[in-house]
Amino acid sequence: MQLTPEDKRRALAAATLTLLGGGLPSAQAEDKTWDIDTAVMVYAESDNRVQAVEPVLKGTLNLGAERYFTAKLVVDTLTGASPNGATPASTPQTFAGPSPYTADPNETPLDDRFRDTRFQGLVDYQFPLSDVDTLGFGVNAGTEYDFVSLGGNLRYARDLFQHNTTLSAGLNFESDSIDPVGGIPIPLAVMRVASDSDDDDGIDDDMNGWRDGSSDSKTVTDVVLGWTQVIDPKSLFQMNYSLSASSGYQNDPYKVLSVVGADGEPLRYVYEARPDSRSKNALFMSYKRFVFDRDVTEISYRYMTDDWGIDSHTVDLSYRWYFGTAHYLEPHLRWYSQTAADFYHVALDDGEETLVSEASADTRLAEFDAVTAGIKIGSAVPGRGNWSLRLEYYQQSPKLGGVPTQAADGLSKFDLQPELSAVMLTMGYRFTW
Amino acid sequence: MLRTKPVLITAILLGSLSLGACSHLGAKPWERSVLARPDMQASADPVQAGLDDHVYFSKEASSGGRGFGGGGCGCN
């Protein structure tokens, strides 16, 4: 496909805006064509934990004159089990709720009711205001069994210095509502005991008292400021600063913490309690270069910090090696490291639940390192359908933290932070219609 | 934290202005054939990048960077 000078000139601004919103295909010259981009990801965690199949269909209609309409649909089917936050115990543990479940002795308690189908769709429109200004806006909606998300975004990009520099700004607003099975639990309230009759043990067996209401909501506002710079005819640098401010219900309503005795054995379970707001700041940098007149390599780094005490570093490396005329192999490495949230506790000492105002045992808020290694093979023939197949392995290695002091010895007999590993297989096919 | 935001924004703006103005940086319109390649776009594969973002959003405490990081996902 032959690119017009106009396409070449505008490619940078368009690509920059793509990052912030719905996206558009690589520069296209022909008017009124659809660029169809499809993919299916199969995600499988070890030990029969979460399994997911996620197909995506995205179509971008090139309306000519640099105007693009995009529609995207994502379906995500989840099954399997997820840690509920409780620590292992020497005896079987039964967790109450609308459908009770049991964890074997010395095993990390997994909530095996984890089953959901998510639908997410978006529409987006992007058009030039002038030779150097581009505007885009989009709306999106997502729904799960107990969750609904609605959002909208507005993006603006301006080219400077003969289209070698692009500055961009984007604003995204999202409104979420959550309606968990059994209602919203009161933070730090004691989980009722399974098969326990309604007695006067102080535990609310009929669950009337621990529900805070049937549903709750949160809003998320994102601001992204970007700078993309052509370094030379073969390389590109990009830097983004982003702020994400979230306000409202931040808890995972299905997560609990174990309150343990000095022997490390659980006395009871309490629902987690996170702050009702979160502010994240991130700085992202990427450098992309065409090398050996054949291959493409990219390195990126992201630093994120939030007001929950979490700092993270992400380094991502990829190298696309072309063999033959239009086929490539692309090895990929990603390294990630985060510190724990200030209120992360692997468990609580007896009585500690009345002393803290915030606590969570969610492993996603713990300190850990993670590595992703993978390889992708694909075709890249201009003007023809291009396929790709990618296999990746992800491993999370947690670091023990937030151990209750009085129960530290008692808990030491358990594996409190088991590793998480997952395999991801992604198939993609992209064509013009 | 509050102090770092204006500093970052200023650095981005100043950096872009100074780099953009530098005669050694950039490419002329007729030098852009490589930059126009699909695989040289800043986001060469946005659909698969979106799948990755969803996995990492639901397994890690960080999100965003390349674009918006909200998620639209119930996986708090």
Side-chain angles (χ1 to χ4, degrees):
Chain A
M1 185 176 300
Q2 191 62 44
L3 296 169
T4 65
E6 173 68 9
D7 286 321
K8 291 178 182 176
R9 210 168 56 234
R10 295 202 60 86
L12 180 59
T16 300
L17 221 53
T18 300
L19 295 171
L20 298 178
L24 77 170
S26 53
Q28 299 278 343
E30 294 152 22
D31 285 357
K32 302 273 169 54
T33 55
W34 281 95
D35 179 272
I36 307 291
D37 197 350
T38 64
V40 181
M41 174 185 268
V42 180
Y43 172 92
E45 290 179 2
S46 56
D47 304 325
N48 289 323
R49 285 171 59 174
V50 177
Q51 320 280 312
V53 179
E54 191 167 348
V56 186
L57 174 65
K58 190 176 96 165
T60 301
L61 180 62
N62 183 347
L63 295 161
E66 300 303 319
R67 296 170 301 147
Y68 298 96
F69 169 79
T70 300
K72 182 180 174 187
L73 181 68
V74 183
V75 181
D76 186 12
T77 307
L78 293 168
T79 55
S82 188
N84 70 354
T87 48
S90 300
T91 53
Q93 303 185 76
T94 299
F95 297 91
S99 50
Y101 55 98
T102 302
D104 290 335
N106 301 311
E107 292 292 321
T108 300
L110 300 175
D111 183 346
D112 60 6
R113 303 168 303 166
F114 198 51
R115 207 170 300 268
D116 208 346
T117 301
R118 181 181 73 121
F119 296 94
Q120 192 179 34
L122 67 81
V123 288
D124 190 272
Y125 183 60
Q126 182 170 316
F127 61 100
L129 293 172
S130 74
D131 181 50
V132 292
D133 300 275
T134 307
L135 195 67
F137 57 88
V139 291
N140 59 76
T143 175
E144 295 171 33
Y145 180 67
D146 56 2
F147 181 83
V148 175
S149 172
L150 295 170
N153 68 78
L154 185 68
R155 298 107 55 202
Y156 170 77
R158 185 177 181 87
D159 283 356
L160 302 166
F161 311 116
Q162 295 181 308
H163 300 280
N164 282 308
T165 301
T166 302
L167 298 181
S168 62
L171 179 69
N172 184 62
F173 181 78
E174 180 186 312
S175 174
D176 300 337
S177 64
I178 184 159
D179 185 8
V181 179
I184 297 277
I186 292 176
L188 298 172
V190 176
M191 185 187 219
R192 77 163 183 157
V193 177
S195 70
D196 188 13
S197 60
D198 211 357
D199 47 34
D200 55 0
D201 59 3
I203 296 172
D204 186 32
D205 301 309
D206 60 7
M207 298 193 290
N208 284 330
W210 62 259
R211 279 183 293 190
D212 203 10
S214 63
S215 64
D216 212 326
S217 63
K218 77 165 186 285
T219 57
V220 186
T221 306
D222 285 293
V223 176
V224 180
L225 299 176
W227 162 37
T228 309
Q229 178 66 46
V230 171
I231 303 290
D232 58 37
K234 290 182 178 175
S235 66
L236 201 64
F237 175 77
Q238 191 195 7
M239 186 157 88
N240 286 345
Y241 162 73
S242 56
L243 166 69
S244 180
S246 177
S247 174
Y249 189 74
Q250 314 281 336
N251 295 334
D252 183 329
Y254 306 109
K255 293 263 191 278
V256 297
L257 295 102
S258 298
V259 177
V260 296
D263 58 357
E265 302 296 337
L267 302 169
R268 55 193 168 273
Y269 312 99
V270 295
Y271 290 97
E272 70 161 29
R274 305 185 190 189
D276 58 8
S277 69
R278 186 180 184 191
S279 174
K280 298 189 277 191
N281 286 273
L283 188 66
F284 170 83
M285 284 176 280
S286 162
Y287 178 70
K288 193 161 195 169
R289 183 161 191 86
F290 190 64
V291 292
F292 303 125
D293 281 332
R294 183 192 64 199
D295 303 337
V296 178
T297 186
E298 182 174 5
I299 179 166
S300 71
Y301 167 75
R302 177 186 64 183
Y303 172 68
M304 192 221 69
T305 181
D306 73 4
D307 57 358
W308 286 4
I310 298 170
D311 292 337
S312 78
H313 301 274
T314 312
V315 177
D316 198 291
L317 282 165
S318 68
Y319 188 92
R320 182 177 285 202
W321 169 59
Y322 281 93
F323 63 95
T325 50
H327 289 85
Y328 61 86
L329 267 179
E330 186 175 315
H332 170 228
L333 265 180
R334 178 184 184 270
W335 177 81
Y336 175 82
S337 179
Q338 74 174 43
T339 61
D342 296 333
F343 52 88
Y344 175 78
H345 299 267
V346 75
L348 296 171
D349 274 326
D350 189 9
E352 196 178 359
E353 73 272 27
T354 61
L355 303 174
V356 296
S357 56
E358 288 150 359
S360 174
D362 190 337
T363 49
R364 293 171 295 186
L365 302 177
E367 180 179 2
F368 67 83
D369 293 340
V371 173
T372 308
I375 192 149
K376 182 175 176 179
I377 184 168
S379 70
V381 185
R384 291 190 33 199
N386 291 318
W387 58 268
S388 67
L389 184 66
R390 186 178 66 163
L391 183 65
E392 298 207 292
Y393 178 75
Y394 176 69
Q395 177 151 330
Q396 232 179 53
S397 307
K399 295 173 182 171
L400 191 57
V403 180
T405 48
Q406 291 165 34
D409 282 347
L411 282 170
S412 62
K413 59 181 178 285
F414 300 121
D415 181 7
L416 297 174
Q417 299 277 35
E419 290 192 337
L420 166 74
S421 61
V423 174
M424 296 174 268
L425 179 69
T426 311
M427 291 155 281
Y429 187 66
R430 197 167 173 170
F431 59 98
T432 301
W433 184 47
Chain B
M1 185 64 61
L2 287 172
R3 281 184 185 176
T4 59
K5 283 182 219 164
V7 170
L8 276 174
I9 295 164
T10 310
I12 290 169
L13 289 174
L14 284 179
S16 68
L17 289 173
S18 58
L19 281 171
C22 174
S23 61
H24 299 294
L25 273 182
K28 302 293 183 193
W30 58 88
E31 294 177 320
R32 288 181 173 254
S33 57
V34 164
L35 296 167
R37 287 169 60 104
D39 54 12
M40 277 299 287
Q41 302 312 302
S43 178
D45 201 339
V47 162
Q48 293 194 21
L51 286 167
D52 289 350
D53 283 348
H54 184 222
V55 167
Y56 296 129
F57 178 85
S58 56
K59 294 291 152 193
E60 298 173 347
S62 309
S63 63
R66 273 190 189 274
F68 299 126
C73 168
C75 35
N76 254 353

